[in-house]
Every structure is written in C-alpha cells, then in structure tokens.
C-alpha cells in the first residue's frame, strides 16, 4: 500500500504578497514623514589671539603648595586655618559678581589642604570652583 503521493512539483515561494506589503509600508512612511526646511544662519565666529592675555576680573586664584600652605592671588598666607582663609576669600571676593575660585594645587599637595580650600570657599559663599591643570609633556593618552 502506498499512502503518499509522489511530489512532482517543486515548492515555490510566492514573493508577490511580500512585495505588496513592503510597498504599502514604504508609501505609509513617505506620507507620514514630515519634511522641514532649516534655514541657514550666517554667523561670524570670534577670532582668538593667543598673544593677548585673557582678563578675568571675577577670578580668584588660590595655590596650594606641596607642604599644604595657601597663596591667595600670588600672596602667600601665613595661616592654614579654614576660618581665617575663608575670611581672606571673602575679602578677595568683595566687589566681584559671582566670582570663580581657581585652585592650583601642587601634585604633591595633601588632599586635606585642597578639601580645606573648598570648605573655606563654601564658608565664604563662593559656589563656582574650578581646578587648574596642565598638560603632561609625554605621549598623548
């Protein structure tokens, strides 16, 4: 007994319905896409001259030496007390609108000295703090 019929035909994949569906999706995307035109702005970028020093009137520079002493605007302070340093920062910030405190800490400076500068800035009401760094003279990272 032979229950199976022999398959004389090769099965084929009908691509017509697939192409119809893809065309409908393409038409839907083309119709639903919004096209907007952005106008170009004619701007002139500023020119920088590296030979002129930048004037930063709202900047207060603090240096931290390797032994943990402080220099405020290139003047070495005789104290390392946070309260006294905060009052010196308040005097330096008088008359400056939203001053920026730039901390120049030596690589060998104690971590506590840098934290004390930040604490003194908080006590003096200075909220903008930045750290100065310099490029290493080695291979680029």
């Amino acid at each position: 007994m032979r229950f199976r019929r022999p398959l004389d035909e090769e099965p084929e994949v009908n691509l017509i319905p697939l192409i119809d569906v893809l065309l409908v999706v393409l038409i839907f995307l083309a119709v639903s896409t919004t096209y907007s035109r952005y106008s170009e702005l004619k701007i002139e970028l500023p020119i920088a001259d590296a030979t002129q020093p930048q004037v930063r009137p709202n900047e207060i520079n603090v240096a931290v030496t390797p032994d943990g002493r402080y220099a405020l605007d290139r003047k070495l302070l005789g104290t390392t007390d946070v309260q006294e340093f905060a009052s010196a920062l308040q005097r330096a910030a008088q008359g400056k609108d939203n001053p920026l405190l730039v901390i120049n800490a030596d690589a060998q400076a104690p971590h506590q000295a840098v934290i004390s500068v930040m604490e003194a800035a908080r006590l003096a009401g200075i909220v903008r703090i930045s750290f100065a760094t310099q490029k290493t003279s080695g291979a680029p990272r």
Side-chain angles (χ1 to χ4, degrees), residues 56-135:
R56 297 180 181 155
N58 289 337
E59 202 171 270
I60 302 171
N61 289 306
V62 173
V64 181
T65 62
D67 57 347
R69 294 184 300 159
Y70 308 119
L72 181 60
D73 288 330
R74 297 183 182 224
K75 295 175 188 157
L76 191 62
L77 299 177
T79 182
T80 57
D81 183 45
V82 175
Q83 293 293 334
E84 291 178 24
F85 187 61
S87 64
L89 280 176
Q90 279 180 337
R91 285 191 302 273
Q94 281 180 343
K96 295 182 180 180
D97 183 35
N98 199 10
L100 170 67
L101 180 71
V102 179
I103 301 173
N104 298 293
D106 189 272
Q108 303 303 319
H111 185 70
Q112 181 60 47
V114 177
I115 297 299
S116 296
V117 171
M118 293 169 57
E119 175 68 15
R122 184 187 67 81
L123 292 173
I126 299 173
V127 294
R128 295 178 56 212
I129 298 176
S130 177
F131 291 93
T133 61
Q134 55 183 323
K135 288 186 177 181

Coordinates of all heavy atoms in Angstrom, one line a residue, residues 56-135:
R56 N 40.4 88.2 33.3 CA 39.3 87.6 34.0 C 39.1 88.3 35.4 O 39.7 87.9 36.4 CB 39.6 86.1 34.2 CG 39.7 85.3 32.9 CD 40.0 83.9 33.2 NE 40.2 83.2 31.9 CZ 40.9 82.1 31.8 NH1 41.5 81.6 32.8 NH2 41.0 81.5 30.6
P57 N 38.2 89.3 35.4 CA 38.1 90.1 36.6 C 37.4 89.3 37.8 O 37.6 89.7 38.9 CB 37.2 91.3 36.2 CG 36.5 90.8 35.0 CD 37.4 89.8 34.3
N58 N 36.6 88.3 37.5 CA 35.9 87.6 38.5 C 36.6 86.4 39.0 O 36.0 85.5 39.6 CB 34.5 87.2 38.0 CG 33.6 88.5 37.9 OD1 33.8 89.5 38.5 ND2 32.6 88.3 37.1
E59 N 37.9 86.3 38.7 CA 38.6 85.1 39.1 C 39.4 85.3 40.3 O 40.1 86.3 40.4 CB 39.5 84.7 37.9 CG 39.9 83.2 37.9 CD 40.6 82.9 36.6 OE1 39.9 82.5 35.6 OE2 41.8 83.1 36.5
I60 N 39.4 84.3 41.2 CA 40.3 84.4 42.4 C 41.2 83.1 42.3 O 40.7 82.0 42.3 CB 39.4 84.3 43.7 CG1 38.5 85.5 43.8 CG2 40.3 84.3 44.9 CD1 37.5 85.4 44.9
N61 N 42.5 83.3 42.3 CA 43.4 82.2 42.2 C 43.9 81.8 43.6 O 44.4 82.7 44.3 CB 44.6 82.6 41.3 CG 44.1 82.7 39.8 OD1 43.6 81.7 39.3 ND2 44.4 83.8 39.2
V62 N 43.9 80.5 43.9 CA 44.4 80.0 45.1 C 45.4 78.9 44.7 O 45.1 78.0 44.0 CB 43.3 79.4 46.0 CG1 43.9 78.7 47.2 CG2 42.3 80.5 46.4
A63 N 46.6 79.0 45.3 CA 47.6 78.0 45.1 C 47.8 77.2 46.4 O 47.8 77.8 47.4 CB 48.9 78.6 44.6
V64 N 48.0 75.9 46.2 CA 48.3 75.1 47.4 C 49.7 74.5 47.2 O 50.0 73.8 46.2 CB 47.3 73.9 47.5 CG1 47.6 73.1 48.7 CG2 45.9 74.5 47.6
T65 N 50.6 74.8 48.1 CA 52.0 74.3 48.0 C 52.1 72.9 48.4 O 51.2 72.3 49.0 CB 52.9 75.2 48.9 OG1 52.5 75.0 50.2 CG2 52.8 76.7 48.5
P66 N 53.2 72.2 48.1 CA 53.4 70.8 48.4 C 53.3 70.6 49.9 O 53.0 69.5 50.4 CB 54.8 70.5 47.9 CG 55.0 71.5 46.8 CD 54.3 72.7 47.2
D67 N 53.7 71.6 50.8 CA 53.6 71.4 52.2 C 52.3 71.8 52.8 O 52.1 71.9 54.0 CB 54.8 72.1 52.9 CG 54.8 73.6 52.6 OD1 54.1 74.0 51.7 OD2 55.6 74.3 53.3
G68 N 51.3 72.2 52.0 CA 49.9 72.5 52.4 C 49.6 73.9 52.8 O 48.6 74.2 53.4
R69 N 50.5 74.8 52.4 CA 50.3 76.2 52.6 C 49.5 76.8 51.5 O 49.5 76.3 50.4 CB 51.6 77.0 52.9 CG 52.3 76.5 54.1 CD 53.5 77.3 54.4 NE 54.4 77.2 53.3 CZ 55.4 78.0 53.0 NH1 55.6 79.1 53.8 NH2 56.2 77.8 52.0
Y70 N 48.9 78.0 51.7 CA 48.0 78.6 50.7 C 48.6 79.9 50.2 O 49.2 80.7 51.0 CB 46.6 78.9 51.2 CG 45.9 77.7 51.9 CD1 45.6 77.7 53.2 CD2 45.7 76.6 51.2 CE1 45.0 76.6 53.8 CE2 45.1 75.5 51.8 CZ 44.8 75.5 53.1 OH 44.2 74.4 53.7
A71 N 48.4 80.2 48.9 CA 48.7 81.5 48.4 C 47.4 82.0 47.7 O 46.8 81.4 46.8 CB 49.8 81.4 47.4
L72 N 47.0 83.2 48.1 CA 45.8 83.8 47.5 C 46.2 85.0 46.6 O 46.8 85.9 47.0 CB 44.9 84.3 48.7 CG 43.6 85.0 48.3 CD1 42.7 84.0 47.5 CD2 42.9 85.5 49.5
D73 N 45.9 84.8 45.3 CA 46.3 85.8 44.3 C 47.8 86.1 44.4 O 48.2 87.2 44.4 CB 45.4 87.0 44.3 CG 44.0 86.8 43.9 OD1 43.8 85.9 43.0 OD2 43.1 87.5 44.4
R74 N 48.6 85.1 44.4 CA 50.1 85.1 44.4 C 50.7 85.7 45.7 O 51.8 86.1 45.7 CB 50.6 85.9 43.2 CG 50.2 85.2 41.9 CD 50.8 85.9 40.7 NE 50.4 85.2 39.5 CZ 51.2 85.0 38.5 NH1 52.5 85.3 38.6 NH2 50.8 84.4 37.5
K75 N 49.9 85.8 46.7 CA 50.4 86.3 48.0 C 50.3 85.1 49.0 O 49.2 84.6 49.3 CB 49.6 87.5 48.5 CG 49.8 88.7 47.6 CD 48.9 89.8 48.1 CE 49.0 90.9 47.0 NZ 47.8 91.8 47.1
L76 N 51.4 84.7 49.6 CA 51.5 83.6 50.5 C 50.8 84.0 51.8 O 51.1 85.0 52.4 CB 52.9 83.1 50.7 CG 53.1 81.8 51.4 CD1 52.4 80.7 50.6 CD2 54.5 81.5 51.7
L77 N 49.9 83.2 52.3 CA 49.2 83.4 53.6 C 50.0 82.7 54.7 O 50.5 81.7 54.5 CB 47.8 82.9 53.5 CG 46.9 83.6 52.5 CD1 45.5 82.9 52.5 CD2 46.7 85.1 52.7
G78 N 49.9 83.3 55.8 CA 50.7 82.8 57.0 C 49.9 81.8 57.8 O 50.3 81.2 58.7
T79 N 48.6 81.5 57.4 CA 47.8 80.6 58.1 C 47.3 79.5 57.3 O 47.1 79.6 56.1 CB 46.6 81.4 58.7 OG1 45.8 80.5 59.5 CG2 45.7 82.0 57.7
T80 N 47.0 78.3 57.9 CA 46.3 77.2 57.3 C 44.9 76.9 57.9 O 44.3 75.9 57.6 CB 47.2 76.0 57.4 OG1 47.4 75.7 58.7 CG2 48.5 76.1 56.6
D81 N 44.5 77.9 58.8 CA 43.2 77.7 59.4 C 42.1 78.0 58.4 O 42.1 79.0 57.6 CB 43.1 78.7 60.6 CG 41.7 78.6 61.3 OD1 41.4 77.4 61.6 OD2 41.1 79.6 61.6
V82 N 41.1 77.2 58.4 CA 40.0 77.3 57.4 C 39.2 78.5 57.6 O 38.8 79.2 56.6 CB 39.1 76.0 57.5 CG1 37.9 76.2 56.6 CG2 39.9 74.8 57.1
Q83 N 38.9 78.9 58.9 CA 38.1 80.1 59.1 C 38.8 81.4 58.7 O 38.2 82.3 58.1 CB 37.8 80.2 60.6 CG 36.9 79.1 61.1 CD 35.5 79.2 60.6 OE1 35.0 80.3 60.2 NE2 34.8 78.1 60.4
E84 N 40.1 81.5 59.0 CA 40.9 82.6 58.6 C 41.0 82.7 57.1 O 40.9 83.8 56.5 CB 42.2 82.6 59.2 CG 42.2 82.9 60.7 CD 43.6 82.8 61.4 OE1 44.6 83.0 60.6 OE2 43.6 82.5 62.6
F85 N 41.2 81.6 56.4 CA 41.3 81.5 55.0 C 39.9 81.9 54.3 O 39.9 82.6 53.3 CB 41.7 80.1 54.5 CG 42.0 80.1 53.1 CD1 43.0 80.9 52.5 CD2 41.3 79.2 52.2 CE1 43.3 80.8 51.1 CE2 41.6 79.2 50.9 CZ 42.6 79.9 50.3
A86 N 38.8 81.5 55.0 CA 37.5 81.9 54.5 C 37.3 83.4 54.5 O 36.7 84.0 53.6 CB 36.4 81.1 55.2
S87 N 37.8 84.0 55.6 CA 37.6 85.5 55.7 C 38.5 86.2 54.7 O 38.1 87.2 54.1 CB 37.9 86.0 57.1 OG 39.3 85.7 57.4
A88 N 39.7 85.6 54.4 CA 40.5 86.2 53.3 C 39.9 86.0 52.0 O 40.0 86.9 51.1 CB 41.9 85.5 53.3
L89 N 39.2 84.9 51.7 CA 38.5 84.7 50.5 C 37.3 85.7 50.4 O 37.0 86.2 49.3 CB 38.0 83.2 50.4 CG 39.0 82.2 49.9 CD1 38.3 80.8 50.0 CD2 39.5 82.5 48.6
Q90 N 36.6 85.9 51.5 CA 35.5 86.9 51.4 C 36.0 88.3 51.1 O 35.4 89.0 50.3 CB 34.8 87.0 52.8 CG 33.8 85.9 53.0 CD 33.2 85.9 54.3 OE1 33.7 86.5 55.3 NE2 32.0 85.4 54.5
R91 N 37.2 88.7 51.6 CA 37.8 90.0 51.3 C 38.2 90.0 49.8 O 38.0 91.0 49.2 CB 39.0 90.3 52.2 CG 38.6 90.6 53.6 CD 39.8 91.2 54.4 NE 40.9 90.2 54.4 CZ 41.1 89.3 55.4 NH1 40.2 89.1 56.3 NH2 42.1 88.5 55.3
A92 N 38.7 88.9 49.3 CA 39.1 88.9 47.9 C 37.9 88.9 47.0 O 38.0 89.4 45.8 CB 40.0 87.7 47.6
A93 N 36.8 88.4 47.4 CA 35.6 88.3 46.6 C 34.7 89.6 46.6 O 33.7 89.7 45.9 CB 34.7 87.1 47.0
Q94 N 35.0 90.5 47.5 CA 34.2 91.7 47.6 C 34.3 92.5 46.3 O 35.3 92.7 45.7 CB 34.7 92.6 48.8 CG 34.3 92.1 50.1 CD 34.8 93.0 51.2 OE1 35.7 93.8 51.0 NE2 34.2 92.9 52.4
G95 N 33.1 92.9 45.9 CA 33.0 93.7 44.7 C 33.1 92.9 43.4 O 33.0 93.5 42.3
K96 N 33.1 91.6 43.5 CA 33.1 90.7 42.3 C 31.8 90.1 42.2 O 31.3 89.5 43.2 CB 34.3 89.7 42.4 CG 35.6 90.3 42.4 CD 36.7 89.2 42.4 CE 38.1 89.9 42.4 NZ 39.2 88.9 42.4
D97 N 31.2 90.1 41.0 CA 29.9 89.5 40.8 C 30.1 88.0 40.4 O 30.7 87.7 39.4 CB 29.2 90.2 39.6 CG 27.8 89.7 39.4 OD1 27.2 89.3 40.4 OD2 27.4 89.6 38.2
N98 N 29.6 87.1 41.3 CA 29.7 85.7 41.1 C 31.1 85.2 40.8 O 31.4 84.8 39.7 CB 28.7 85.3 39.9 CG 28.4 83.8 40.0 OD1 28.7 83.1 41.0 ND2 27.8 83.3 39.0
P99 N 32.0 85.3 41.7 CA 33.4 85.0 41.5 C 33.7 83.5 41.2 O 32.9 82.7 41.7 CB 34.1 85.5 42.8 CG 33.1 85.4 43.8 CD 31.8 85.7 43.1
L100 N 34.8 83.3 40.5 CA 35.2 81.9 40.2 C 36.5 81.7 41.0 O 37.4 82.4 40.8 CB 35.4 81.7 38.7 CG 36.1 80.4 38.3 CD1 35.2 79.3 38.5 CD2 36.5 80.5 36.8
L101 N 36.5 80.6 41.8 CA 37.7 80.2 42.5 C 38.5 79.2 41.7 O 37.9 78.1 41.4 CB 37.3 79.7 43.9 CG 38.5 79.3 44.8 CD1 39.2 80.5 45.3 CD2 38.0 78.5 46.0
V102 N 39.7 79.5 41.4 CA 40.5 78.6 40.6 C 41.6 78.0 41.6 O 42.4 78.8 42.1 CB 41.2 79.3 39.4 CG1 42.1 78.3 38.7 CG2 40.2 79.8 38.5
I103 N 41.6 76.7 41.8 CA 42.5 76.1 42.7 C 43.7 75.5 41.9 O 43.5 74.6 41.0 CB 41.8 75.0 43.5 CG1 40.7 75.6 44.3 CG2 42.8 74.3 44.4 CD1 39.8 74.5 45.0
N104 N 44.9 76.0 42.2 CA 46.1 75.5 41.6 C 46.8 74.7 42.6 O 47.6 75.3 43.4 CB 47.0 76.6 41.1 CG 46.3 77.5 40.0 OD1 46.1 77.0 39.0 ND2 46.0 78.7 40.4
A105 N 46.6 73.4 42.7 CA 47.2 72.6 43.7 C 48.4 71.8 43.2 O 48.3 71.3 42.0 CB 46.2 71.6 44.3
D106 N 49.5 71.8 43.9 CA 50.6 71.0 43.5 C 50.3 69.6 43.5 O 49.4 69.1 44.3 CB 51.8 71.3 44.5 CG 53.1 70.7 44.0 OD1 53.3 69.6 44.4 OD2 53.8 71.4 43.3
A107 N 51.0 68.8 42.7 CA 50.7 67.4 42.6 C 51.0 66.6 43.9 O 50.4 65.6 44.2 CB 51.5 66.7 41.4
Q108 N 51.9 67.2 44.7 CA 52.3 66.6 45.9 C 51.6 67.2 47.1 O 51.9 66.9 48.3 CB 53.8 66.7 46.1 CG 54.6 66.1 45.0 CD 54.3 64.6 44.8 OE1 54.2 63.9 45.7 NE2 54.2 64.2 43.5
A109 N 50.7 68.1 46.9 CA 49.9 68.8 48.0 C 49.0 67.7 48.7 O 48.5 66.9 48.0 CB 49.1 69.9 47.4
P110 N 48.9 67.9 50.0 CA 48.0 67.0 50.7 C 46.5 67.1 50.3 O 46.1 68.3 50.0 CB 48.2 67.3 52.2 CG 49.2 68.4 52.3 CD 49.6 68.8 50.9
H111 N 45.9 66.0 50.2 CA 44.4 66.1 49.9 C 43.6 66.9 50.8 O 42.7 67.6 50.4 CB 43.9 64.6 49.8 CG 42.5 64.5 49.3 ND1 42.2 64.7 48.0 CD2 41.4 64.2 50.0 CE1 40.9 64.5 47.9 NE2 40.4 64.2 49.1
Q112 N 44.0 66.9 52.1 CA 43.2 67.6 53.1 C 43.4 69.1 52.8 O 42.4 69.9 53.1 CB 43.7 67.3 54.5 CG 43.0 68.1 55.6 CD 41.5 67.8 55.6 OE1 41.1 66.6 55.5 NE2 40.7 68.8 55.7
A113 N 44.5 69.6 52.3 CA 44.7 71.0 52.1 C 43.7 71.5 51.0 O 43.1 72.6 51.0 CB 46.1 71.3 51.7
V114 N 43.5 70.7 49.9 CA 42.6 71.0 48.8 C 41.2 71.0 49.3 O 40.4 71.9 49.0 CB 42.8 70.1 47.6 CG1 41.8 70.4 46.5 CG2 44.2 70.2 47.1
I115 N 40.8 70.0 50.2 CA 39.5 70.0 50.7 C 39.3 71.2 51.7 O 38.2 71.7 51.7 CB 39.3 68.6 51.5 CG1 39.4 67.5 50.5 CG2 38.0 68.6 52.2 CD1 38.3 67.5 49.4
S116 N 40.3 71.6 52.4 CA 40.1 72.8 53.2 C 39.9 74.1 52.4 O 39.1 74.9 52.8 CB 41.4 73.0 54.1 OG 41.6 71.9 54.9
V117 N 40.5 74.2 51.2 CA 40.2 75.3 50.3 C 38.8 75.3 49.9 O 38.1 76.3 49.9 CB 41.2 75.3 49.1 CG1 40.8 76.3 48.1 CG2 42.6 75.5 49.6
M118 N 38.3 74.1 49.6 CA 36.9 74.0 49.1 C 35.9 74.3 50.3 O 34.9 75.0 50.1 CB 36.6 72.6 48.6 CG 37.4 72.3 47.3 SD 37.3 70.6 46.7 CE 35.6 70.3 46.6
E119 N 36.3 73.9 51.5 CA 35.5 74.2 52.7 C 35.5 75.7 53.0 O 34.4 76.3 53.3 CB 36.0 73.5 53.9 CG 35.3 73.8 55.2 CD 33.8 73.3 55.2 OE1 33.4 72.5 54.4 OE2 33.1 73.8 56.1
A120 N 36.6 76.4 52.8 CA 36.7 77.8 53.0 C 35.9 78.6 52.0 O 35.3 79.6 52.3 CB 38.2 78.3 53.0
A121 N 35.9 78.1 50.8 CA 35.1 78.7 49.7 C 33.6 78.6 50.0 O 32.9 79.5 49.8 CB 35.4 78.0 48.4
R122 N 33.2 77.4 50.6 CA 31.8 77.3 51.0 C 31.5 78.3 52.1 O 30.4 78.9 52.1 CB 31.6 75.8 51.5 CG 30.1 75.6 51.8 CD 29.9 74.2 52.4 NE 30.5 74.1 53.7 CZ 30.0 74.5 54.9 NH1 28.8 75.1 54.9 NH2 30.6 74.3 56.0
L123 N 32.4 78.4 53.1 CA 32.1 79.3 54.2 C 32.1 80.8 53.7 O 31.4 81.6 54.2 CB 33.2 79.2 55.3 CG 33.1 77.8 56.0 CD1 34.3 77.7 56.9 CD2 31.8 77.7 56.8
A124 N 32.9 81.1 52.6 CA 32.9 82.4 52.1 C 31.8 82.7 51.1 O 31.6 83.9 50.7 CB 34.3 82.7 51.4
G125 N 31.0 81.7 50.8 CA 29.9 81.9 49.9 C 30.2 81.9 48.4 O 29.5 82.3 47.6
I126 N 31.4 81.3 48.1 CA 31.8 81.1 46.7 C 31.4 79.8 46.2 O 31.8 78.7 46.8 CB 33.3 81.3 46.6 CG1 33.8 82.7 47.1 CG2 33.8 81.1 45.1 CD1 35.3 82.9 47.1
V127 N 30.5 79.7 45.2 CA 30.0 78.5 44.7 C 30.6 78.0 43.5 O 30.4 76.8 43.1 CB 28.4 78.6 44.6 CG1 27.8 78.8 45.9 CG2 28.1 79.7 43.6
R128 N 31.3 78.8 42.7 CA 31.9 78.4 41.5 C 33.4 78.1 41.7 O 34.1 79.0 42.1 CB 31.8 79.5 40.4 CG 30.4 79.8 40.0 CD 30.2 80.9 39.0 NE 31.1 80.7 37.8 CZ 31.6 81.6 37.1 NH1 31.5 82.9 37.5 NH2 32.4 81.3 36.1
I129 N 33.7 76.8 41.6 CA 35.1 76.4 41.9 C 35.6 75.6 40.6 O 34.9 74.8 40.0 CB 35.1 75.4 43.1 CG1 34.7 76.2 44.3 CG2 36.5 74.9 43.3 CD1 34.6 75.4 45.6
S130 N 36.9 75.9 40.3 CA 37.5 75.2 39.2 C 38.9 74.8 39.6 O 39.5 75.4 40.5 CB 37.6 76.1 38.0 OG 38.2 75.5 36.9
F131 N 39.4 73.7 39.0 CA 40.7 73.2 39.3 C 41.6 73.4 38.0 O 41.2 73.1 36.9 CB 40.7 71.7 39.6 CG 40.1 71.4 40.9 CD1 38.7 71.1 41.0 CD2 40.8 71.5 42.1 CE1 38.1 70.9 42.2 CE2 40.2 71.2 43.3 CZ 38.8 70.9 43.4
A132 N 42.8 74.0 38.2 CA 43.7 74.2 37.1 C 44.6 73.0 37.0 O 45.0 72.4 37.9 CB 44.6 75.5 37.4
T133 N 44.8 72.6 35.7 CA 45.7 71.5 35.4 C 46.6 72.0 34.3 O 46.4 73.0 33.7 CB 44.9 70.3 34.9 OG1 44.2 70.7 33.7 CG2 43.9 69.8 35.9
Q134 N 47.6 71.1 34.0 CA 48.5 71.4 32.9 C 48.7 70.1 32.1 O 48.6 69.0 32.7 CB 49.8 72.0 33.3 CG 50.5 71.3 34.4 CD 51.8 72.0 34.8 OE1 52.4 72.6 34.0 NE2 52.1 71.9 36.1
K135 N 49.0 70.3 30.8 CA 49.3 69.1 30.0 C 50.5 68.4 30.4 O 51.5 69.0 30.8 CB 49.4 69.5 28.5 CG 48.1 69.9 27.9 CD 48.3 70.1 26.4 CE 46.9 70.4 25.8 NZ 47.1 70.7 24.4

